[in-house]
Amino acid sequence: MFLSINPATGDELARYEPHSAADIDQALGEAVAAQRAWRKTRMVERCALLRKVAQALRAERDAYARLITQEMGKPIREAEAEIEKSAWTCEFYAEHAPRFLADELIASNATESRVVFDPLGVVLAVMPWNYPFWQFFRFFAPAIAAGNGSILKHAANVPGCALAIEQALARAGVPAGLSRSLLIPSSAVAGLIADDRIAAVTLTGSTPVGQLVAAQAGKHLKKQVLELGGTDPFIVLADADIARAAEFGARARFQNTGQSCIAAKRFIVEEKVADAFTEQFLTHVRALRTGDPMDRDTQVGPIARADLRDDLHRQVMQSVREGARVALGGDALAGPGAFYAPTVLDHVELDMTACREEIFGPVAPIIRVRDAEQAVAVANDTEYGLGAALWTGDLSRAYHLARDIEAGAVFVNGLVASDARLPFGGIKKSGYGRELGVYGIREFTNIKTLWVGPVQS
């Protein structure tokens, strides 16, 4: 049984029956049949469908946003923005997929040689709860534009969102069977990966889960795209605009209640400006409004599950025992729901839990360094490499330093964010492969060489 629990109250919202083995078999069979037909459709038809999906999402934006907020606690304004971003991404690929997937003519010794991009088939998408619509649609839009089908295995705590996605696609006119949501336990994923009807796998989730899925997919020689954990650095150098860095830093850490793979998770600040930055940063954090995520003024909602809130508190307490100083917060909030106070830990060192483990919640560790070189070294001293932010007034130096930062993306004087126009993904234990942009749409294609020799007379 799948339970939908409101993390703001602890109340049960709904119960859902899991799909049976027979349901799974039927879904896979229908997906393969639908994809074989879909791959033969013209690109113009695929793009038209994506525009209809965008319309369907916007038509029910308020209902979908409420569902997100009720199931995983995202503040309602952010949930509405998530639906809009999902719709915009569908429109982006509707506009650009023809160019991204156009044949590429390559000069060779052939009469003609070109590279073509064929779909792989039905892709299994194992998705997380923190952006229950966006995480799916950033995969779905390019995959469908490329001619693939999809099977969604969503996180267990957002079953309502999983089924709502399937219903939205049906209303938009997505061919029956082409994209299905299956309510199944994590233990069933290995069987799906092993099934010959699944051509490839994409996963957004934790690094341990990514390692497991990679091993399962590798055993069956199936393509994977893995977007995993991160301890993203937010570097503030002495010549940065400190007021602006502090303001954006609060947003970068506490958006989605800190439950984002690319949220700023380690604030690495040059010693000369560390006190000034911390003071201004604390001012912005204190001003954050925590409470009912359905309240449009709320900026920080509950943690998605009570057990995750408890583990977050363990990380904070362990860091304090290791020597970190609590500058603000540091405890769960009293009352119902899985709320945790916005927290700032100062004087965090490299060997502390708050620096070594991914902190998935409203907790900001501040690490003080002597100069820019040490800042980059500290930023790279992690097993992760997803995103990084670099704040400095010297843009020429920024380009040089950014090349030395080990991450899939470096944002200079801004918040790390996913954007349909740009490739997104990580290195090291943050995963491999790319989503979004031209590189993302080609991940689930067969990049095929087509070589044509001279006509024989």
Side-chain angles (χ1 to χ4, degrees), residues 101-106 113-117 446-450:
L101 297 177
D103 293 359
E104 294 182 355
L105 293 173
I106 306 292
S113 52
R114 62 178 63 202
V115 176
V116 300
F117 303 94
N446 173 20
I447 303 175
K448 180 190 293 182
T449 295
L450 180 56

Side-chain angles (χ1 to χ4, degrees), residues 23-94:
D23 294 330
I24 296 171
D25 183 66
Q26 181 179 347
L28 289 175
E30 292 175 352
V32 168
Q35 190 274 329
R36 285 174 179 165
W38 180 247
R39 67 174 290 145
K40 297 181 183 298
T41 59
R42 296 178 302 152
M43 179 60 74
V44 65
E45 296 175 48
R46 300 178 196 171
C47 295
L49 180 63
L50 281 175
R51 292 189 177 94
K52 290 179 181 177
V53 171
Q55 293 170 0
L57 288 171
R58 290 197 178 102
E60 297 293 332
R61 184 201 69 166
D62 293 348
Y64 294 149
R66 285 195 301 272
L67 180 59
I68 292 171
T69 298
Q70 290 169 349
E71 281 206 314
M72 57 74 56
K74 189 188 303 289
I76 189 66
R77 287 181 183 270
E78 294 185 18
E80 292 167 351
E82 179 175 337
I83 299 301
E84 173 55 33
K85 188 173 185 178
S86 300
W88 173 70
T89 298
C90 290
E91 292 175 332
F92 172 83
Y93 279 105

Side-chain angles (χ1 to χ4, degrees), residues 374-396:
Q374 187 183 20
V376 172
V378 169
N380 291 340
D381 189 6
T382 174
E383 62 184 7
Y384 299 104
L386 193 53
L390 172 63
W391 287 77
T392 176
D394 187 342
L395 293 185
S396 62

Side-chain angles (χ1 to χ4, degrees), residues 10 12 31 61 115 127 198 220 225 258-259 339 365 399 435:
E12 182 179 312
R61 184 201 69 166
V115 176
M127 294 288 112
I198 292 295
H220 299 283
V225 170
Q259 300 170 114
F339 289 91
Y399 285 112
E435 296 180 292

Side-chain angles (χ1 to χ4, degrees), residues 13 143 156 170 199 232 255 282 331 368 410 416 422:
L13 300 171
D232 288 15
Q255 62 183 346
L282 284 167
D331 208 347
R368 296 163 181 249
V410 178
V416 179
L422 299 170

